[in-house]
Amino acid sequence: MEKRVGVVGIVIEDTEVVDKVNERLHEHAEIIVGRMGVPYKDKGISVISLIVDGTMDNISSLTGQLGKIKGLKVKSAITKK
């Protein structure tokens, strides 16, 4: 399968789910090129941005598993090729 590069944005509104998020990211570490996390304490949220490089199946697996976690929002933008 063809690999693609993309950006995954995660907004964590419930800090109780941070451990679950980190578990999912660890499970998909092979496709994560870079990660930046910023706690926004004034708003009570955390924001994580990921640069990913993998097949659409791999990227979809990551975003799908994250999307099942209540208390966060996840969006992605992926290259066409």
Side-chain angles (χ1 to χ4, degrees):
M1 259 197 160
E2 184 177 322
K3 284 187 157 187
R4 298 182 182 194
V5 175
V7 177
V8 177
I10 306 163
V11 177
I12 301 172
E13 298 169 326
D14 178 3
T15 56
E16 297 286 321
V17 302
V18 170
D19 288 338
K20 290 181 185 179
V21 172
N22 284 324
E23 286 174 23
R24 297 303 168 269
L25 296 180
H26 179 72
E27 291 169 3
H28 293 84
E30 71 278 355
I31 67 167
I32 299 173
V33 176
R35 171 183 173 170
M36 179 179 66
V38 179
Y40 195 170
K41 293 181 182 177
D42 291 347
K43 300 283 184 181
I45 63 172
S46 292
V47 180
I48 300 172
S49 60
L50 305 173
I51 305 299
V52 294
D53 184 359
T55 65
M56 277 308 298
D57 286 347
N58 295 140
I59 297 169
S60 295
S61 175
L62 170 61
T63 57
Q65 288 180 27
L66 288 170
K68 291 179 184 177
I69 301 172
K70 293 187 183 210
L72 68 80
K73 302 285 186 211
V74 62
K75 298 289 180 183
S76 61
I78 310 296
T79 60
K80 290 184 181 184
K81 291 186 177 185

